[in-house]
Amino acid sequence: MDPATLPALAAFACVARHASFSRAAIELGMSPSALPQSVRSLERRLGVRLLHRTTRRVGLTEPGERLLREAAPALARIGGALQALEESRDVPAGRLRITAPRIAAEQLVLPHLPAFCARHPHIEVELAVQAALTDLVAEGFDAGIRLGESLADGMVAAPLGPPQRLVVVASPAYLRRHPPPPTPEALAGHTCIRYRRSDGRLMPWEFARDGQDFSVEVDGGPIFNDSGLGRRMAIAGLGLAQVFEAAAADDLAAGRLLRLLDAWQPPFPGFHLYYPSREQLAPKLRVFIDFMRQVNDPPL
């Protein structure tokens, strides 16, 4: 269909409904001269006369009646769809696709998801647990949650939750067999459970000394692509692991794990909820951002 046909067809239907160019022009917000020209252009395009015009009235020709009968339901459906879309602009509804690593999903999203779904029953949340940094636009996600240091350029980012901290942990059984390392450099003599990132590289263990960050390449232990598996193997006494403190909190409190090298592991800025643009932010995403930031706001 010629792009100009649809608006001309809608103009013709409006004139037919009012049986008047002047009244139709007022409804459509067109000038009295532009509306007749639009209808004449449609007639030339179709090769038939659609309207009888006299100085007193406007009426349908037989082809005009047939066209209006066939086109009016479709025009009504298009108008209804546009009106429904306009009415729903401020109503939070639809599928909301979020990507997050496991630790962020378990710590920041899942504890509050039932309350969010109860408050917004017309939003269908789809949460994809992914370690890799995701291209939101290419993968069709509305937003993601990642550490601030790994966000792509051009993303809008809002802090989410408290600062994070890494901890080196080991089981009491392991430490009965091996003395704890006094410094990060002493990890060379230990079995260290390692983590392989989604880009294929092994994650070095990260520390800080006198305000300066540094990393240590560790060796000697099994390799996983899920930090939760590494924590479980540390509990089993297989070796040392470096994990998020929040993920190991219950095990540390219960004594299943003991923390090591605390002086070299200060807190760092935590997770961010990121999304492509502030312009025309969908209501479903706006309420998700506001809700998750409120419930995860760190206490003063």
Side-chain angles (χ1 to χ4, degrees):
M1 179 185 292
D2 186 326
T5 300
L6 187 58
L9 191 58
F12 156 70
C14 188
V15 173
R17 187 172 67 252
H18 286 287
S20 167
F21 277 100
S22 58
R23 288 196 294 270
I26 292 172
E27 179 181 324
L28 296 172
M30 299 177 68
S31 71
S33 60
L35 182 54
Q37 171 122 13
S38 177
V39 174
R40 280 195 296 270
S41 296
L42 178 63
E43 290 175 325
R44 286 195 298 269
R45 196 175 298 118
L46 299 178
V48 295
R49 190 172 182 83
L50 301 174
L51 295 171
H52 292 301
R53 304 163 178 85
T54 70
T55 55
R56 292 173 176 258
R57 65 184 301 274
V58 176
L60 289 166
T61 64
E62 183 181 353
E65 288 180 358
R66 188 166 61 249
L67 178 61
L68 185 63
R69 185 169 58 249
E70 296 294 332
L75 290 171
R77 285 196 298 271
I78 294 172
L82 294 174
Q83 182 177 355
L85 181 62
E86 185 174 352
E87 292 173 350
S88 67
R89 283 183 307 183
D90 297 324
V91 177
R95 179 172 297 179
L96 181 69
R97 301 190 71 227
I98 305 295
T99 170
R102 183 175 301 278
I103 177 64
E106 293 179 344
Q107 180 184 354
L108 302 175
V109 180
L110 294 182
H112 311 293
L113 194 56
F116 177 81
C117 292
R119 183 177 298 184
H120 301 286
H122 299 297
I123 297 178
E124 178 184 352
V125 177
E126 179 180 341
L127 178 62
V129 176
Q130 300 171 311
L133 186 64
T134 304
D135 185 328
L136 299 183
V137 176
E139 298 296 327
F141 286 98
D142 295 285
I145 301 173
R146 292 293 186 276
L147 292 173
E149 63 189 31
S150 58
L151 296 182
D153 292 338
M155 290 290 110
V156 179
L160 190 65
Q164 297 291 325
R165 189 181 187 190
L166 293 172
V167 290
V168 174
V169 295
S171 70
Y174 179 89
L175 293 176
R176 284 194 292 270
R177 302 192 307 270
H178 306 277
T183 66
E185 290 78 8
L187 290 168
H190 284 268
T191 300
C192 295
I193 301 168
R194 291 164 291 170
Y195 171 77
R196 188 178 297 279
R197 303 193 308 191
S198 58
D199 61 7
R201 293 188 295 170
L202 289 173
M203 179 74 78
W205 287 17
E206 299 178 356
F207 301 94
R209 178 188 289 124
D210 298 328
Q212 297 297 314
D213 296 334
F214 67 98
S215 60
V216 174
E217 300 287 344
V218 297
D219 203 355
I223 300 170
F224 300 100
N225 69 346
D226 186 302
S227 60
L229 299 179
R231 177 177 52 82
R232 289 169 60 183
M233 290 300 96
I235 293 172
L238 190 58
L240 307 180
Q242 188 178 55
V243 298
F244 279 96
E245 182 179 43
D250 291 344
D251 298 315
L252 291 168
R256 292 185 291 269
L257 290 174
L258 301 175
R259 56 201 305 155
L260 310 169
L261 302 174
D262 259 10
W264 282 270
Q265 297 176 105
F268 56 88
F271 289 98
H272 288 68
L273 198 157
Y274 69 103
Y275 49 97
S277 174
R278 281 194 178 94
E279 294 184 7
Q280 296 180 327
L281 197 63
K284 61 183 179 180
L285 179 56
R286 185 181 65 246
V287 296
F288 182 82
I289 294 170
D290 292 344
F291 181 89
M292 288 299 166
R293 292 197 69 189
Q294 180 181 4
V295 296
N296 286 294
D297 189 32
L300 298 176

